[in-house]
Amino acid sequence: MSMSSVLRDVRSGVIGILPIALAAVPFGLLLGSEAVRRGLSPAEISLMSLIVFAGSAQFLTVSIWSHPAPWAALALAAFLINLRHVLMSASLSPKLKDFRKSQKALVAFLLADEIWALNERRAIYHQITPGFYFGTALGLYVIWLAATIAGTALGEALPAPETIGFDFVFAALFISLVTGFAKTWRALPVVISSLAASLFFKSVFGGTGFIVAGGLAGMIAAALLPPERKDAR
Amino acid sequence: MSLDPATVMAIIAMALATYATRISGFIIGPYLPEQGRLKQALDAVPAAVLTAVIAPTLFNSPAELFAAVITAIAARRLPALGAITVGVGAVLLGRHFLGPW
């Protein structure tokens, strides 16, 4: 593959992630300011954005942080919130034909929700290339880190995201992605099962297990559908 | 720039826990079937997981449900950024005019 086509892929990756990365800015700011309020230093929360790079896990653990840090409880919380990434990486795995093993190790490190979702959408019509993947990942990674650091400095000067509707950005992005994946009637039982199971699980058990519960329910619904005709041949 | 040892250790443990979830799918990936029921289930992961992530948000308040419907309609015609803009506008309108459940 030529250098110019690699650069073209990197560029479409960066452009693709840009609006989403910008929408993540208020959350990075909020995370930084919340972390300082919870007694983490700017260096510590920046380190977390640098090596954990998982928005929802970071928010939850920062909100329950205490000193000295209960590392096992915090790691377990991060593990449980991120269990959905087992499903996400398993789904992405066969779509990374152009990637070397060492590149896949880096892909896994950068597999935040938004990166995963954007690359799954890419895979509907294109082969995912390293240039595209790392373009999307780099864009979000840099902006997430910068926003976290800026948040530690801004502190309580920030408006709450819900007053400007920014808390809905993530939901709106995912809704628009779901409509992209739901091209045929076969997606309908998947979406409905996932919706019902995650709401049920959340209202009964609370916590964050509802994502995996909903994901599994949707997968079971898909497995029970009659085989697609192209598979049957 | 202060780094507390217990905090740094917790952050490293979180990083390892997160990485474990993200690499696991690539480790089992080569053993996953390329056809059949399990393949159908895996193909459904994007729609199923994305739906599950946002499901509770949608039922937070009437404003969110209203905005979710508007966003889904907008997403059929607009690129993601346009649909998100419409959705944020709708949630602000909804919060202004609609009460809690």
Side-chain angles (χ1 to χ4, degrees):
Chain A
M1 186 178 265
S2 74
M3 198 61 207
S4 69
S5 70
V6 172
L7 284 177
R8 198 171 53 235
D9 284 350
V10 172
R11 209 182 57 168
S12 31
V14 171
I15 291 172
I17 199 71
L18 208 58
I20 299 160
L22 291 180
V25 166
F27 293 95
L29 293 172
L30 195 69
L31 177 72
S33 71
E34 183 65 21
V36 170
R37 251 196 297 266
R38 281 270 160 187
L40 284 97
S41 72
E44 287 161 353
I45 189 63
S46 305
L47 176 69
M48 196 199 282
S49 284
L50 200 62
I51 67 173
V52 179
F53 188 52
S56 51
Q58 290 184 256
F59 265 106
L60 187 114
T61 50
V62 164
S63 75
I64 59 170
W65 207 273
S66 58
H67 302 273
W71 67 270
L74 292 165
L76 181 64
F79 182 76
L80 292 176
I81 300 168
N82 287 325
L83 266 182
R84 66 184 184 281
H85 289 131
V86 177
L87 298 178
M88 292 176 175
S89 53
S91 161
L92 198 61
S93 179
K95 295 159 192 158
L96 302 183
K97 293 194 171 67
D98 294 349
F99 288 64
R100 290 194 302 269
K101 265 211 164 106
S102 56
Q103 288 175 318
K104 283 189 186 174
L106 191 58
V107 165
F109 175 71
L110 295 164
L111 195 66
D113 291 347
E114 297 89 338
I115 310 284
W116 168 75
L118 209 65
N119 280 277
E120 286 280 2
R121 191 178 60 178
R122 175 83 171 180
I124 299 175
Y125 301 111
H126 303 87
Q127 184 68 38
I128 306 172
T129 60
F132 182 83
Y133 185 91
F134 292 117
T136 60
L138 191 73
L140 186 65
Y141 190 72
V142 169
I143 289 180
W144 181 244
L145 185 63
T148 308
I149 295 170
T152 64
L154 288 176
E156 296 178 29
L158 294 171
E162 56 273 15
T163 58
I164 48 172
F166 255 102
D167 57 319
F168 195 72
V169 167
F170 191 65
L173 165 69
F174 275 23
I175 291 166
S176 74
L177 289 172
V178 170
T179 62
F181 291 118
K183 287 268 178 264
T184 68
W185 68 269
R186 300 175 67 88
L188 206 60
V190 173
V191 168
I192 291 171
S193 314
S194 171
L195 201 62
S198 59
L199 289 173
F200 175 79
F201 195 96
K202 172 98 177 171
S203 67
V204 174
F205 301 104
T208 56
F210 67 90
I211 298 174
V212 172
L216 288 175
M219 290 172 71
I220 292 168
L224 295 176
L225 290 176
E228 263 180 293
R229 198 165 289 166
K230 63 171 191 250
D231 285 346
R233 273 185 207 144
Chain B
M1 291 278 129
S2 65
L3 289 169
D4 172 65
T7 294
V8 171
M9 187 169 155
I11 291 169
I12 292 172
M14 282 173 58
L16 292 175
T18 301
Y19 193 74
T21 63
R22 290 177 175 174
I23 194 73
S24 59
F26 296 126
I27 294 170
I28 58 172
Y31 306 102
L32 296 173
E34 284 179 26
Q35 54 187 352
R37 303 255 171 214
L38 188 54
K39 172 75 164 78
Q40 284 181 207
L42 282 169
D43 286 344
V45 166
V49 174
L50 286 172
T51 303
V53 169
I54 54 176
T57 312
L58 306 186
F59 292 90
N60 267 349
S61 75
E64 260 111 345
L65 192 55
F66 165 72
V69 173
I70 299 289
T71 309
I73 295 168
R76 302 216 78 97
R77 293 166 190 282
L78 300 173
L81 186 60
I84 291 169
T85 310
V86 170
V88 168
V91 86
L92 286 174
L93 270 181
R95 282 175 189 164
H96 191 73
F97 291 107
L98 306 170
W101 288 119

